[in-house]
Amino acid sequence: MLWLQDGITWLLLPPEQSLAFLLADNGFDVWIANTRGTKYSRQHTSLPINSSDYWNWSWDELVAYDLPATFQYVQDQTGQKLHYVGHSQGTLVALAAFSKDQLLNMLRSAALLSPIAYVGQMTSPLATKAAENFVAETLYKLGIFEFDLKGNSVAKFLKDACNRTGIDCTNLLTSFTGPNCCLSPSIVNIFLDHEPQSTATKNMIHLSQMIRQGTIAMFDYENSDENTRHYGQPTPPVYDMTRIPNDLPLFMSYGGADALSDVKDVQLLLRSLQDHEGDRLVVQYRNDYAHADYVMGENAKQDVYEPLISFFKLQ
């Protein structure tokens, strides 16, 4: 059994190059989930999509509720343990869950592409400037609880940020992710037809906190009383990456040109895993890859997906 997060990300490439189809062709039962807030995952039973309550979450809630519920659903349907594939935020929620001993009884192994835990050294000019200028916090205070890059409010704020900071935002994908080596124009056009998807503004605040502070911790309410009410302590609890079990089979691949999953941040994560059993941790480094190459690169099949599939077959 294999579970991929998140939805449309894995279906952008042609079938003969798509990881989801390649896994299915190699005998895996593939399940694809949609992250909370995307247009494919909005059928809440009681909360309207335009309510502040609907968008009152960050990736903490994905760790605590969404990921375990989805794992449990797939295992209930199949009776088998899962291999997991995540990219970008999909790696963050998985690593956080593993560090809290969640999901491990339902997991066989995990593949993490462009792994994100620490982001304090990311080089994405647009992401870092947005964090430094508290763009997400400003939007939240204005009552904009859905962070939609295609929406007028967020687009205007980002345009203003580009103008103020002098960042060249004519190529928004590169400004966010780094200089991807291997994207065809047709794939980029398909990407722009479906992505980027919405998330909660609160989630963007949480990620901005991580960029500014260089830590991987739960959402900071920036008020000791409020933090105490939520966590029983005045500061947010930290997700301790050293608590990830040393015998958990992990495949990690990261890129030298990735501006979101920066090499220095990934190496900080790898230092947290330095006691991992040698044959249980496979690390691949692609010097020319940036963030989007891992899900849209024309040569990702032979560079990343085939080694990943071979790793799964050994588990």
Side-chain angles (χ1 to χ4, degrees):
M1 297 301 133
L2 187 129
W3 183 59
L4 297 169
Q5 178 169 336
D6 123 77
I8 195 65
T9 301
W10 305 106
L11 301 173
L12 296 173
L13 288 168
E16 66 274 9
Q17 295 176 285
S18 161
L19 178 59
F21 286 98
L22 291 170
L23 286 162
D25 289 344
N26 277 272
F28 292 92
D29 186 2
V30 180
W31 296 73
I32 304 178
N34 291 300
T35 301
R36 188 191 300 208
T38 63
K39 69 179 181 181
Y40 306 104
S41 184
R42 295 191 167 206
Q43 302 302 311
H44 198 282
T45 57
S46 61
L47 296 176
I49 189 68
N50 58 352
S51 69
S52 60
D53 286 340
Y54 180 91
W55 295 104
N56 185 24
W57 55 271
S58 80
W59 59 265
D60 283 334
E61 280 68 35
L62 305 184
V63 173
Y65 305 110
D66 298 32
L67 204 59
T70 312
F71 262 64
Q72 190 64 60
Y73 179 84
V74 175
Q75 191 179 55
D76 288 347
Q77 300 300 310
T78 65
Q80 297 185 33
K81 290 187 175 183
L82 284 70
H83 297 288
Y84 174 88
V85 179
H87 172 256
S88 194
Q89 183 176 262
T91 71
L92 173 61
V93 295
L95 288 165
F98 301 160
S99 75
K100 294 173 70 68
D101 295 326
Q102 293 177 202
L103 313 178
L104 302 175
N105 63 327
M106 295 182 279
L107 185 69
R108 288 181 66 178
S109 68
L112 308 176
L113 309 181
S114 292
I116 286 181
Y118 304 98
V119 289
Q121 300 177 86
M122 73 159 52
T123 56
S124 169
L126 195 51
T128 53
K129 290 298 181 183
E132 291 167 4
N133 288 281
F134 294 83
V135 168
E137 286 86 348
T138 302
L139 290 168
Y140 196 86
K141 289 175 183 176
L142 291 173
I144 301 169
F145 304 114
E146 176 185 356
F147 192 91
D148 179 7
L149 276 170
K150 294 184 177 181
N152 292 333
S153 299
V154 176
K156 181 180 183 303
F157 265 87
L158 289 176
K159 183 179 179 181
D160 290 344
C162 292
N163 292 336
R164 282 199 313 273
T165 58
I167 297 171
D168 180 9
C169 295
T170 51
N171 187 334
L172 204 58
L173 185 61
T174 297
S175 297
F176 263 122
T177 66
N180 297 283
C181 68
C182 309
L183 307 187
S184 70
S186 60
I187 288 297
V188 173
N189 289 334
I190 293 172
F191 169 82
L192 293 174
D193 285 340
H194 298 279
E195 302 275 5
Q197 291 287 322
S198 292
T199 188
T201 304
K202 183 177 178 181
N203 190 41
M204 298 306 296
I205 294 173
H206 193 178
L207 294 168
S208 297
Q209 291 171 351
M210 295 168 62
I211 294 170
R212 292 193 296 264
Q213 297 166 11
T215 57
I216 175 169
M218 299 186 78
F219 185 86
D220 189 353
Y221 289 90
E222 299 182 341
N223 177 291
S224 58
D225 290 340
E226 193 69 9
N227 281 333
T228 300
R229 188 170 75 83
H230 281 86
Y231 309 125
Q233 61 186 60
T235 57
V238 171
Y239 293 97
D240 184 356
M241 295 294 101
T242 65
R243 293 193 57 194
I244 295 174
N246 294 335
D247 61 351
L248 175 63
L250 294 175
F251 175 97
M252 290 192 186
S253 185
Y254 67 109
D258 197 328
L260 292 175
S261 178
D262 184 76
V263 168
K264 292 180 180 177
D265 283 324
V266 175
Q267 289 174 345
L268 184 58
L269 168 63
L270 292 174
R271 283 199 292 275
S272 297
L273 302 174
Q274 62 186 351
D275 294 329
H276 219 79
E277 295 179 11
D279 61 343
R280 298 288 178 146
L281 177 60
V282 174
V283 179
Q284 181 194 58
Y285 174 68
R286 297 289 314 179
N287 183 61
D288 54 342
Y289 269 42
H291 207 68
D293 288 312
Y294 280 97
V295 288
M296 295 191 290
E298 290 184 297
N299 52 356
K301 174 186 175 182
Q302 60 266 28
D303 290 345
V304 180
Y305 300 161
E306 289 177 355
L308 184 159
I309 292 170
S310 296
F311 170 81
F312 279 158
K313 288 181 175 180
L314 292 173
Q315 308 312 314

